């Protein structure tokens, strides 16, 4: 008879561990179900996933002796109920979800340093009339004042004070945005730059630059413009390719799209005596690249076919001359 195990895991503990694993594997389901309620929850991701784990545990306990396919419907019902409970109440303010969950960043922002006097003066110069008078009075007070105190001083209602302060803040922010230089988009930058728009979009997909371009992006692109097309820069890059790869690259360098290079390769590598119809190449391109070719693009394929056949013919003649030359030198 074997000794009993020192650690005994109950069925409820196993269900709890299974619920945690299920939640980790179904994050997309949780966010989908919680999306309508999230803007009204004063909580973070930890609270949300804790409720999801509890709901998953309850659902697992419910379907122990039932069809496992019923787990997700049970979970959705329980989890929605929990989300609704978390969202019940008066919404305090029109804050975004990113603001609600970023509690750590909010705590850091609460201790921002006071603005310098010249910054305050520059901001006040953008405000006029009653708004400026009220803001100057608030700034002159030795201690923070409430809206009720400001309302008593200016013989206004608290609602009017809040409206005036909010309109002043909005006006200052709008003026600051107008004073900032506008960042160009990729399309606008490409119109005045030797760098093609296609290259800029490639850099964006690789997450090297953003759209609109930041000042740092523009500095980097200006440096790239200085060496763009320089043979001394191109030579070490091309030299890393094999001879055959360089020849293939040069033959297709004028073809900008992948489907054009595919069509060229099909016709160039076509064996002598084998027939390759235009319709077959069109169907292959549409199936491989999931595009519907227009009449202009089909005409482009015809042009590519002619160039590929001429290049193939010249390549065959060149190889024949090389073989003949080698045979003559061995005689």
């Amino acid at each position: 008879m074997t000794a009993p195990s020192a650690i005994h895991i109950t069925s409820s503990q196993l269900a709890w561990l299974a619920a945690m694993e299920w939640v980790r594997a179904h994050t997309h389901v949780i966010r989908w179900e919680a999306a309508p309620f999230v803007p009204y929850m004063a909580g973070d991701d930890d609270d949300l996933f804790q409720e999801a784990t509890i709901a998953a545990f309850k659902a697992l306990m419910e379907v122990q002796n039932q069809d496992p396919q019923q787990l997700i419907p049970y979970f959705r019902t329980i989890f929605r109920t929990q989300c609704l409970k978390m969202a019940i109440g008066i919404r305090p303010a029109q804050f975004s979800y990113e603001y609600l969950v970023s509690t750590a960043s909010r705590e850091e922002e609460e201790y921002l340093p006071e603005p310098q006097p010249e910054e305050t003066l520059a901001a006040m110069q953008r405000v006029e009339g009653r708004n400026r008078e009220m803001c100057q009075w608030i700034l002159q007070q030795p201690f923070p004042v409430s809206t009720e105190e400001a309302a008593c001083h200016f013989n206004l209602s608290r609602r009017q004070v809040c409206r005036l302060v909010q309109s002043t803040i909005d006006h200052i922010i709008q003026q600051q945005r107008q004073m900032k230089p506008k960042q160009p988009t990729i399309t606008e930058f490409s119109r005045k730059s030797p760098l093609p728009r296609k290259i800029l979009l490639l850099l964006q997909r690789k997450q090297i630059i953003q759209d609109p371009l930041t000042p740092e992006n523009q500095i980097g692109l200006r440096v790239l413009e200085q060496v763009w097309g320089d043979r001394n820069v191109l030579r070490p890059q091309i030299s890393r390719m094999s001879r055959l790869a360089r020849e293939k690259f040069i033959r297709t360098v004028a073809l900008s799209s992948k489907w054009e290079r595919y069509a060229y390769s099909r016709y160039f590598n076509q064996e002598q005596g084998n027939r390759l119809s235009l319709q077959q190449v069109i169907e292959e391109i549409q199936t491989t690249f999931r595009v519907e070719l227009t009449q202009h693009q089909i005409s482009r394929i015809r042009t590519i076919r002619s160039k590929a056949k001429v290049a193939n013919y010249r390549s065959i003649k060149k190889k024949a001359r090389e073989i003949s030359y080698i045979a003559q030198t061995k005689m």
Side-chain angles (χ1 to χ4, degrees), residues 224-238:
L224 181 59
E225 288 177 350
Q226 302 300 319
V227 297
W228 182 258
D230 192 324
R231 294 188 177 185
N232 294 323
V233 178
L234 294 174
R235 186 175 290 109
Q237 300 180 54
I238 298 177

Side-chain angles (χ1 to χ4, degrees), residues 80-292:
R80 285 176 185 171
T81 304
Q82 295 300 109
C83 290
L84 182 60
K85 291 180 180 179
M86 293 174 65
I88 287 177
I90 300 176
R91 191 174 184 182
Q94 298 291 331
F95 293 140
S96 64
Y97 173 64
E98 289 78 12
Y99 182 85
L100 290 174
V101 298
S102 59
T103 55
S105 61
R106 293 208 314 271
E107 291 175 357
E108 294 175 359
E109 292 174 357
E110 291 177 358
Y111 300 98
L112 291 176
E114 289 291 330
Q116 297 297 324
E118 55 271 15
E119 296 176 349
T120 303
L121 182 61
M124 292 305 302
Q125 289 177 352
R126 307 188 187 105
V127 185
E128 298 178 355
R130 191 66 177 273
N131 294 18
R132 183 172 185 176
E133 181 183 353
M134 179 178 295
C135 291
Q136 286 180 339
W137 179 82
I138 292 175
L139 293 172
Q140 290 171 358
Q141 304 308 309
F143 299 101
V145 295
S146 63
T147 55
E148 184 176 0
E149 293 172 338
C152 292
H153 181 80
F154 291 97
N155 195 22
L156 300 172
S157 66
R158 295 181 60 183
R159 185 174 183 178
Q160 289 175 318
V161 171
C162 294
R163 187 179 299 170
L164 287 172
V165 172
Q166 187 62 46
S167 64
T168 303
I169 294 173
D170 294 340
H171 181 73
I172 293 174
I173 293 175
Q174 184 178 4
Q175 292 292 327
Q176 287 178 339
R177 289 176 178 175
Q178 292 177 355
M179 292 177 62
K180 290 182 179 179
K182 182 182 177 182
Q183 297 178 351
T185 63
I186 287 178
T187 302
E188 294 171 347
F189 186 86
S190 63
R191 292 171 183 167
K192 302 179 182 179
S193 173
L195 302 175
R197 180 174 177 270
K198 187 174 182 179
I199 299 301
L200 298 178
L201 294 175
L202 174 63
L203 296 176
Q204 183 194 13
R205 288 196 298 271
K206 291 180 175 292
Q207 298 182 354
I208 299 175
I209 62 175
Q210 291 80 37
D211 190 15
L213 297 171
T214 63
E216 292 79 9
N217 295 156
Q218 297 179 51
I219 294 173
L221 293 176
R222 295 303 181 190
V223 174
L224 181 59
E225 288 177 350
Q226 302 300 319
V227 297
W228 182 258
D230 192 324
R231 294 188 177 185
N232 294 323
V233 178
L234 294 174
R235 186 175 290 109
Q237 300 180 54
I238 298 177
S239 64
R240 299 175 62 181
M241 304 180 183
S242 64
R243 179 174 173 271
L244 294 176
R246 287 199 297 269
E247 292 179 354
K248 182 179 178 181
F249 177 76
I250 293 172
R251 285 197 303 267
T252 60
V253 71
L255 305 177
S256 58
S257 60
K258 291 183 179 179
W259 65 266
E260 291 178 331
R261 293 191 289 270
Y262 176 86
Y264 186 95
S265 177
R266 289 287 282 122
Y267 284 115
F268 182 83
N269 297 322
Q270 180 184 358
E271 297 181 1
Q272 295 295 324
N274 294 341
R275 184 175 180 276
L276 182 61
S277 65
L278 178 65
Q279 186 62 32
Q280 180 181 347
V281 175
I282 293 173
E283 292 177 356
E284 290 178 0
I285 290 174
Q286 293 183 150
T287 303
T288 304
F289 299 97
R290 298 180 181 180
V291 295
E292 189 70 25

Side-chain angles (χ1 to χ4, degrees), residues 38-55:
V38 161
Y40 302 93
M41 297 180 186
D44 54 13
D45 276 354
D46 290 339
D47 298 327
L48 188 65
F49 281 94
Q50 285 174 6
E51 294 297 332
T53 305
I54 295 172

